[in-house]
Amino acid sequence: MSWSDMLTICGLFAVQCIYGLYMMFLDGLLAAGVPSLFIIAVACAASSVVVLPFAFALERKKWPKVWSPMLVLQLVVISLGGVSIYQVFMMLGVERTSPAIASAMPNLGPGFIFVIAACLRFERFNWKCKYTRAKILGTLVCLSGAMCVSFLKNSTPPSVSPKSIPGDEEELSNGKSRKEWILGCFYLLTGVTIFACNTVMQAGALKRFPAPLSVCSITAMMGSIFSAIIQVLMEGKLTAGTGDNITWIIGEIVLVGGVVIGLCTTFQVSSIGRKGPVLVSMFSPFQTVFSAFISLIFFGQWIGLGCFVGIVLMFVGLYGVLWAKNREDKMLTELTAPPESECDVERPLLQ
């Protein structure tokens, strides 16, 4: 494995850790009454403005001279689906289910992305190849570990009585009917499916437009506009939801959500262009792992045996996928390399 691959892997781990901290930042804003659509609109606009100068300086020569309708359509769908509609479906799902279900559903993304990418030929798939089988097995193991961590990360320590924690039956009896629960799960699955399709579509857009900084800047600005329009349609106006310290709140969103998350998203999109959507998506469940350890360190939330087993399964599954991808790339390179007889520089021209 080359140094560039190691840097990419370490960078993707770091991005998921930063995303975990960003979720804690969002929790504070949402608790203060700031609407999520307003946060998305402001953060995406700030990300676009931050990334645009770098895109202009580094990728101007890669911009297409003629913008094809297919490329424009891809960018519109990526910004509308991956930024706005995905968030709306996730919010509707959270309102009708529980936080445990809502945090577990996005971890199904790697499995969905693998299936979609294989069907659209973005990921090499040959059932007779042992590396393909290893990728499938690693993905399933990683998904199993992610589900264990998602559902078991808030387990209570042995000294705390489990009766103090409300269960699913109590949640259902507190106004959430079974019909709403099923509808909420449908919303969450729809949101994860949209996210998976959006990730694969980013890989397709980068083939037509190999400029990840430019793609991030364009889609972020379009996503900001779409989110603002959706909030106006749903709430009648674009509002921060609170009249206290609006300038300070907007400044925090611009700094954290715009600058930090904008750069992380740019790195993630560029990794999709270099390594493919499946490998990048395999790192997303580690955000749950990081949040579990943060909850243990700062909030004293117990990490049970099931959660620990889930973390081990996630690392084992990720290692299996990384090993299979590395071996598969080497095999493809050997198959496409010209024979030594054709590139022997010491072979005389006349025999």
Side-chain angles (χ1 to χ4, degrees), residues 5 8 12 59 62 78 113 122-124 198-213 215-216 264-281 325 329:
D5 293 338
T8 300
L12 291 173
E59 300 177 345
K62 298 180 181 180
I78 289 172
I113 291 172
F122 285 105
E123 185 71 21
R124 289 185 291 274
N198 178 77
T199 303
V200 177
M201 192 172 294
Q202 283 180 339
L206 288 173
K207 290 184 178 296
R208 295 175 177 269
F209 188 15
L213 295 175
V215 170
C216 285
C264 289
T265 305
T266 301
F267 178 80
Q268 200 168 23
V269 172
S270 64
S271 300
I272 291 175
R274 288 182 282 110
K275 297 299 180 182
V278 173
L279 181 62
V280 175
S281 67
K325 289 281 290 183
D329 292 340

Side-chain angles (χ1 to χ4, degrees), residues 3-311:
W3 280 105
S4 61
D5 293 338
M6 289 297 298
L7 289 176
T8 300
I9 292 172
C10 294
L12 291 173
F13 271 118
V15 165
Q16 294 306 320
C17 293
I18 294 173
Y19 281 160
L21 295 174
Y22 182 60
M23 290 299 118
M24 298 175 62
F25 170 75
L26 287 181
D27 284 340
L29 290 180
L30 293 173
V34 183
S36 56
L37 283 173
F38 179 82
I39 298 174
I40 296 170
V42 175
C44 288
S47 297
S48 177
V49 173
V50 170
V51 176
L52 182 60
F54 298 97
F56 182 80
L58 302 176
E59 300 177 345
R60 182 174 49 182
K61 296 181 180 179
K62 298 180 181 180
W63 291 356
K65 296 180 180 179
V66 179
W67 293 75
S68 64
M70 180 57 67
L71 177 59
V72 174
L73 179 62
Q74 284 181 322
L75 296 177
V76 171
V77 172
I78 289 172
S79 57
L80 181 61
V83 177
S84 303
I85 297 180
Y86 164 71
Q87 298 288 344
V88 171
F89 273 108
M90 294 303 293
M91 286 187 296
L92 292 174
V94 170
E95 292 175 358
R96 288 166 174 79
T97 59
S98 68
I101 295 293
S103 64
M105 286 295 183
N107 291 327
L108 296 175
F112 289 179
I113 291 172
F114 184 86
V115 173
I116 297 172
C119 293
L120 297 179
R121 303 293 184 181
F122 285 105
E123 185 71 21
R124 289 185 291 274
F125 185 88
N126 182 7
W127 183 251
K128 297 181 180 180
C129 179
K130 62 180 180 180
Y131 301 129
T132 297
R133 296 195 295 269
K135 286 191 295 184
I136 295 174
L137 180 60
T139 302
L140 293 176
V141 171
C142 189
L143 288 176
S144 301
M147 299 300 287
C148 290
V149 173
S150 297
F151 285 113
L152 303 177
K153 70 176 181 179
N154 291 328
S155 301
T156 56
S159 59
V160 179
S161 175
K163 294 182 180 180
S164 62
I165 305 298
D168 290 341
E169 295 297 329
E170 295 180 19
E171 290 181 355
L172 287 174
S173 63
N174 289 338
K176 292 182 179 179
S177 64
R178 190 164 299 277
K179 182 179 179 180
E180 288 184 340
W181 184 273
I182 295 174
L183 184 61
C185 291
F186 173 76
Y187 284 143
L188 292 173
L189 284 173
T190 303
V192 173
T193 304
I194 291 173
F195 174 77
C197 295
N198 178 77
T199 303
V200 177
M201 192 172 294
Q202 283 180 339
L206 288 173
K207 290 184 178 296
R208 295 175 177 269
F209 188 15
L213 295 175
S214 304
V215 170
C216 285
S217 180
I218 294 171
T219 55
M221 182 57 68
M222 295 173 67
S224 174
I225 296 172
F226 288 140
S227 299
I229 293 174
I230 292 174
Q231 186 183 20
V232 171
L233 293 177
M234 294 178 63
E235 303 179 11
K237 59 180 179 178
L238 182 64
T239 175
T242 177
D244 300 331
N245 298 325
I246 295 180
T247 304
W248 180 262
I249 290 174
I250 294 177
E252 289 181 341
I253 297 174
V254 169
L255 179 61
V256 180
V259 179
V260 179
I261 300 302
L263 295 177
C264 289
T265 305
T266 301
F267 178 80
Q268 200 168 23
V269 172
S270 64
S271 300
I272 291 175
R274 288 182 282 110
K275 297 299 180 182
V278 173
L279 181 62
V280 175
S281 67
M282 292 295 295
F283 288 85
S284 59
F286 287 92
Q287 179 181 332
T288 308
V289 176
F290 181 75
S291 63
F293 281 106
I294 289 294
S295 299
L296 173 66
I297 295 172
F298 293 99
F299 304 107
Q301 293 182 351
W302 183 259
I303 297 180
L305 179 61
C307 180
F308 180 77
V309 172
I311 293 173

